[in-house]
Amino acid sequence: MSLSSSGRAVRIHEIAMLGAFALFLATVEYVIPKPVPFMRIGLANLPVMIGLTFLTTREYALLAFLKVFGQGIIHGTLFSYVFLFSLGGSAASVVMMLIAYRLAGRHVTFVGIAVIGAFASNMAQLFLARVFLFGEGAWLIAPPFLITGLITAVVLGLFTQQFVLSSRWLAAKQEGVRRD
Amino acid sequence: MTDRRNIPLIAGLCMLPALVFQFDLLPLLLQLGLLIIIRLLQGGRIRVKTNLMMIVTITAVNLLQAHGQVLYEIAGFEITLGALRIGLVRSLKLIALIYLSQFMISQRPAFPGRLGNLLSLQFSYYEGFLNSGLKVNPKQFIQRLDELLFQLEEHRGDPGDRFQAAGSVGWIPAAAAAAAFWVIYATAPLL
């Protein structure tokens, strides 16, 4: 797909806007009290899943980068292990969600895609936690970590499904892509 | 990179190896103390509860792997010195890295090129979201979000740079902080 320069500029704004939305949701998640410090809800994945429906692979990768890098800047974790965890988890989930959507988009709902993404992200983070923080003890926290990840992914997937079905903004974007 | 906004970033990059390769508890505590002082001087907040939670969680998981001299035994569970030390070092290093990272980006370093411009644009929209008063309330959230996305789109083309940076850091204090960090690292065997 080749876009005109004005079309490309519009798309850049859309990616930046979705990236900003991810940051906003990451900020919301940051202040939500959690029983375990490393527990994640994954709210910031909502814009990333929305992006699946109208961005090209390259644009989608750019959005994922903006999400991870922006979170690193806002939370001040850019040069810490936390950034590595975020990068590893996001890279794994983004790749798996993209593959799932492209290969079986019509047969898998966003609940399925969110679950696949959360599982990939959590496994990558467990591997990093084993290397950098917990050693072999990381596998002991794996069951609760994966179960909470599964539950939050189902909730997020249901919400995304609802958003994709009812959002006028997203419908306009998808219409724009069809015209281009 | 002569931009003043990049001073903490450069100083932090100089300090980073002295922290990453620090495996002794006392020098690590001193480095963390220095970073906390810098954070407070810059007007930042210290999240005591979050830090304590991190220390407790990481140390507890590390204690599950017995290592070295047994200190206590509680209901058949051995608390060992080696595991305790490893857990404390890992957790304190993580907290120190977070504070160092916050210092490094405290002036919002100028990232070059098109990617730098894209990040500026992202932060401009981020501010739009923050100022929108959008609440994560399931009732009508999608509708309100839709309205906001349309609204933000109307104001496109004004990347701006309204990020609230922390207090300015000069070359001399930044160099002094980096030097102090390396002095602690070099004198670790004496402590």
Side-chain angles (χ1 to χ4, degrees):
Chain A
M1 185 195 317
S2 64
L3 293 172
S4 63
S5 60
S6 65
R8 206 173 298 128
V10 168
R11 190 57 63 81
I12 287 290
H13 274 267
E14 288 163 359
I15 296 167
M17 196 148 77
L18 284 176
F21 185 33
L23 289 193
F24 172 72
L25 291 177
T27 308
V28 169
E29 177 163 340
Y30 195 64
V31 296
I32 295 174
K34 299 173 202 77
V36 184
F38 301 102
M39 185 188 156
R40 58 185 282 287
I41 303 168
L43 288 177
N45 278 329
L46 172 64
V48 177
M49 282 196 284
I50 293 170
L52 273 174
T53 62
F54 72 99
L55 297 178
T56 64
T57 302
R58 200 172 159 193
E59 291 164 349
Y60 187 64
L62 191 58
L63 171 62
F65 169 81
L66 283 184
K67 171 190 168 249
V68 175
F69 202 76
Q71 270 179 261
I73 290 178
I74 286 202
H75 298 155
T77 55
L78 193 57
F79 296 96
S80 73
Y81 294 154
V82 178
F83 180 70
L84 201 63
F85 277 64
S86 179
L87 185 66
S90 291
S93 74
V94 156
V95 168
M96 292 309 291
M97 287 196 297
L98 188 66
I99 291 172
Y101 187 78
R102 293 279 195 264
L103 291 183
R106 289 181 185 174
H107 309 287
V108 182
T109 64
F110 276 97
V111 177
I113 287 172
V115 168
I116 289 167
F119 185 75
S121 168
N122 288 342
M123 286 308 289
Q125 292 192 339
L126 278 170
F127 173 75
L128 291 169
R130 179 184 168 276
V131 174
F132 291 105
L133 289 178
F134 298 143
E136 292 303 324
W139 303 121
L140 295 169
I141 62 160
F145 191 61
L146 291 173
I147 290 168
T148 52
L150 178 72
I151 295 166
T152 55
V154 169
V155 174
L156 192 69
L158 285 170
F159 184 81
T160 309
Q161 188 74 29
Q162 194 58 36
F163 183 88
V164 168
L165 290 174
S166 56
S167 166
R168 289 182 301 118
W169 180 82
L170 184 60
K173 297 297 119 192
Q174 288 168 333
E175 182 59 34
V177 170
R178 271 193 286 274
R179 273 203 305 269
D180 290 329
Chain B
M1 287 221 285
T2 50
D3 195 322
R4 276 185 75 84
R5 289 180 298 171
N6 288 338
I7 292 175
L9 179 69
I10 296 166
L13 285 172
C14 295
M15 293 153 86
L16 200 57
L19 180 60
V20 171
F21 297 108
Q22 182 61 264
F23 300 102
D24 294 317
L25 197 53
L26 188 58
L28 185 58
L29 270 171
L30 290 174
Q31 286 176 324
L32 176 59
L34 183 62
L35 288 168
I36 288 174
I37 291 170
I38 292 172
R39 175 95 180 130
L40 291 172
L41 287 175
Q42 284 195 299
R45 280 196 314 155
I46 303 296
R47 293 172 181 268
V48 179
K49 203 173 146 191
T50 310
N51 291 342
L52 284 176
M53 284 275 280
M54 269 198 239
I55 293 170
V56 169
T57 314
I58 295 173
T59 307
V61 176
N62 276 277
L63 283 175
L64 297 173
Q65 302 159 263
H67 172 62
Q69 184 194 340
V70 178
L71 294 175
Y72 308 101
E73 195 174 324
I74 305 165
F77 178 72
E78 289 177 344
I79 294 179
T80 54
L81 183 62
L84 187 63
R85 278 182 60 86
I86 292 171
L88 284 173
V89 166
R90 281 176 173 168
S91 56
L92 291 173
K93 194 183 282 187
L94 177 67
I95 295 167
L97 278 168
I98 291 172
Y99 284 130
L100 180 61
S101 184
Q102 285 175 343
F103 166 64
M104 287 165 82
I105 57 143
S106 57
Q107 301 294 301
R108 194 182 182 187
F111 295 103
R114 285 162 70 183
L115 210 53
N117 290 338
L118 186 57
L119 281 166
S120 290
L121 193 59
Q122 181 189 19
F123 280 106
S124 164
Y125 279 122
Y126 174 63
E127 196 168 311
F129 276 102
L130 287 179
N131 294 336
S132 69
L134 182 74
K135 292 191 173 64
V136 185
N137 179 354
K139 283 182 186 174
Q140 294 185 320
F141 179 67
I142 292 175
Q143 194 188 333
R144 291 201 57 207
L145 179 59
D146 244 16
E147 286 164 11
L148 179 62
L149 288 169
F150 277 120
Q151 213 175 64
L152 288 174
E153 216 166 36
E154 277 174 27
H155 296 286
R156 79 161 55 119
D158 174 30
D161 194 351
R162 292 161 286 180
F163 182 85
Q164 285 280 316
S168 170
V169 178
W171 278 112
I172 294 172
F181 231 67
W182 277 100
V183 167
I184 295 170
Y185 180 79
T187 55
L190 307 174
L191 294 170

